[in-house]
Amino acid sequence: VIASFVVPITYNDQFYGIAGVDAPIGFVQQLVDDIDIYDGSTDAVLFTSKGTLIAARKRPELSNQHVSQIYDDLDIIQGQFATSFSRISTDGRNLQIFSPLEFSGKSHWVLGLSIPLEKITAQATEATSRQIAIGVIVIILSVALFWFLAGQLVRPLRQLTDAAMTVSVGNMDVSTEIQSNDEFEVLGEAFNSMTSQLK
């Protein structure tokens, strides 16, 4: 692959000729192949402003072919290649970034990158999954703790309720054994005192 760079020679608005150089640019393919973004998942292409592919990452056979083989909607975006811009690919899977490489005021090449959105959002997705897992664990632990505390609160009430039901049918030979170091224990002692006095 050879690139031709030609510049007119003028002096006092008079044209004297042109100076040009033909440079082999086969090394550009290696430069594009060496682009390693997001663990090699990013595709990179270099093409002229007229749409000729100079290099495509890991696809040297596309050199000198038209860039429409890679960008199927080239006619829509071709007018924007004079400035850097980005967009979501037509299939919605990649972030595409285009940046011009200026050689003179009139001609330029364009470097295009295509990065999978799943790679860009991988860290955020992983963090979200981790937060969800932590949230689920916290909820399970909270429910278990609530269940345990509820059982601790309800057990003395059940004992008092069972004892009261026994007394209500006329059986005074009942007492409660509540040892909770709180108002339930005081209430149990008062209940035991009441049944003994009734008896």
Side-chain angles (χ1 to χ4, degrees):
V1 179
I2 292 177
S4 297
F5 301 93
V6 180
V7 178
I9 301 172
T10 58
Y11 183 71
N12 289 334
D13 293 330
Q14 186 171 351
F15 176 75
Y16 287 95
I18 60 170
V21 62
D22 289 334
I25 56 170
F27 68 93
V28 174
Q29 179 65 47
Q30 186 60 46
L31 292 176
V32 173
D33 284 345
D34 289 342
I35 293 175
D36 186 6
I37 303 173
Y38 286 105
D39 301 323
S41 63
T42 299
D43 285 331
V45 294
L46 186 64
F47 54 95
T48 68
S49 57
K50 294 182 180 179
T52 302
L53 279 166
I54 299 166
R57 186 173 184 274
K58 306 298 184 187
R59 292 184 286 175
E61 70 278 2
L62 293 180
S63 179
N64 283 330
Q65 297 187 33
H66 201 265
V67 73
S68 60
Q69 294 194 35
I70 296 177
Y71 303 113
D72 53 5
D73 60 342
L74 180 66
D75 53 333
I76 297 173
I77 60 174
Q78 195 163 18
Q80 303 177 57
F81 288 148
T83 59
S84 296
F85 71 98
S86 62
R87 67 167 193 157
I88 301 298
S89 62
T90 54
D91 61 6
R93 295 180 181 176
N94 299 297
L95 172 66
Q96 294 178 333
I97 303 169
F98 301 94
S99 183
L101 308 173
E102 296 288 341
F103 292 111
S104 67
K106 295 182 179 178
S107 65
H108 60 270
W109 290 352
V110 179
L111 176 65
L113 300 175
S114 185
I115 308 169
L117 288 173
E118 63 182 20
K119 291 291 185 179
I120 296 172
T121 59
Q123 289 182 341
T125 303
E126 182 181 337
T128 301
S129 299
R130 189 169 39 247
Q131 293 296 330
I132 290 172
I134 291 171
V136 168
I137 291 170
V138 168
I139 289 171
I140 291 172
L141 291 175
S142 299
V143 168
L145 180 61
F146 177 76
W147 187 267
F148 174 76
L149 292 175
Q152 293 296 317
L153 291 173
V154 170
R155 189 172 1 154
L157 286 175
R158 277 198 190 136
Q159 288 180 353
L160 286 170
T161 302
D162 292 343
M165 294 298 287
T166 303
V167 169
S168 71
V169 294
N171 184 1
M172 298 295 176
D173 295 326
V174 65
S175 67
T176 61
E177 298 292 334
I178 299 174
Q179 297 178 353
S180 59
N181 296 322
D182 58 12
E183 289 77 8
F184 288 119
E185 186 172 341
V186 174
L187 183 61
E189 291 172 355
F191 183 85
N192 291 337
S193 175
M194 180 190 72
T195 55
S196 65
Q197 290 178 21
L198 284 173
K199 186 177 178 181

